[in-house]
Amino acid sequence: MKFILLSLMTIFVATSCLDDDDYSLGKFWIDYGTINGSRNNFTIVTDNGVVLFPSASDISFEGIADSMRVLVNYTILGDAAKPSEIDHYVKINGMRKVLKKKITTLTAQNVDSIGNDGANIVNTWMTADYDLLNIEFSYEGSPYHTHFINLVIDPQNAVDEQGNIILELRHNKKGDSYTRPLLNSVASFDLRSIRKEGVNEVGFRLKA
């Protein structure tokens, strides 16, 4: 079910931008984004840099916090007058929190809890400001069991032959039994820790 819903969301996101100016209350868009502001006054910056201002909502904003990652379903009510820091006024139809984590350094103390169970990278994309790497991944397990997912740097194998930083997606199934079909999920990882002062470009290799 999770895989089917995510596939439908991906198809809709890919096609909805074709009719950007054709707004109606019967239409909706689904995007990943980041909360900017507090629960009572916030915008959502989508991963392609579009800024949404919630003017109406069908849901409670309880638990909303600055910098939170979300998957948001919204209806565009209208465009903001330019110049403005807002692109669209929207009605929020639904919103779900997305896992967001920092890059972890692998150590002797955390290697067991980080785990080394299988995980497949399905898709990756970066936010418009290059702050976050988003990874859609699949794994075997029960949807009712808590798994751990991390993006790690191993100090013993931190760079490749070209000097690119090696980032590895690590999964700990926490004793869960493997099942079929594969489950899908998405996590966002903060890349700012691998930036280098005075350098415009940092290369990295992602593996699982």
Side-chain angles (χ1 to χ4, degrees):
M1 180 64 74
K2 288 183 180 179
F3 177 77
I4 293 171
L5 288 176
L6 189 56
S7 297
L8 290 174
M9 290 176 184
T10 303
I11 293 170
F12 195 91
V13 170
T15 58
S16 63
C17 60
L18 299 177
D19 300 314
D20 281 350
D21 297 326
D22 183 14
Y23 308 145
S24 71
L25 292 179
K27 289 196 171 187
F28 64 93
W29 283 256
I30 297 175
D31 278 309
Y32 288 92
T34 302
I35 299 294
N36 184 14
S38 64
R39 178 171 66 90
N40 298 320
N41 183 23
F42 68 92
T43 57
I44 302 170
V45 183
T46 67
D47 285 359
N48 59 2
V50 175
V51 181
L52 312 175
F53 182 84
S55 298
S57 176
D58 284 340
I59 65 169
S60 168
F61 292 150
E62 190 70 32
I64 290 294
D66 188 48
S67 299
M68 179 185 290
R69 288 287 291 165
V70 293
L71 177 63
V72 58
N73 178 316
Y74 61 95
T75 296
I76 298 178
L77 302 177
D79 297 333
K82 300 299 180 182
S84 172
E85 296 180 355
I86 298 167
D87 292 298
H88 305 301
Y89 296 102
V90 301
K91 172 177 170 286
I92 304 297
N93 305 312
M95 190 155 56
R96 180 166 60 86
K97 183 178 180 181
V98 173
L99 179 66
K100 178 183 174 183
K101 305 187 79 171
K102 294 181 180 180
I103 296 172
T104 301
T105 300
L106 205 60
T107 67
Q109 290 71 38
N110 66 17
V111 64
D112 290 335
S113 61
I114 290 294
N116 198 26
D117 296 313
N120 304 309
I121 296 175
V122 178
N123 190 21
T124 63
W125 70 98
M126 299 179 74
T127 51
D129 55 12
Y130 298 99
D131 280 353
L132 296 173
L133 172 65
N134 304 282
I135 304 176
E136 178 189 350
F137 58 95
S138 63
Y139 60 97
E140 292 180 319
S142 164
Y144 309 106
H145 194 96
T146 299
H147 291 227
F148 286 172
I149 196 79
N150 286 281
L151 192 65
V152 307
I153 293 178
D154 182 355
Q156 305 302 318
N157 187 32
V159 297
D160 64 12
E161 296 83 359
Q162 289 75 41
N164 298 310
I165 297 171
I166 299 175
L167 301 177
E168 185 173 357
L169 189 70
R170 287 292 193 97
H171 169 219
N172 185 347
K173 65 177 183 175
K174 299 293 290 182
D176 192 12
S177 59
Y178 283 169
T179 60
R180 295 284 183 173
L182 290 176
L183 303 174
N184 270 49
S185 191
V186 172
S188 301
F189 296 96
D190 194 329
L191 292 178
R192 290 176 293 179
S193 64
I194 66 171
R195 288 179 176 169
K196 298 177 181 178
E197 192 69 29
V199 177
N200 293 328
E201 184 177 287
V202 175
F204 65 87
R205 173 178 291 179
L206 176 65
K207 69 176 186 176

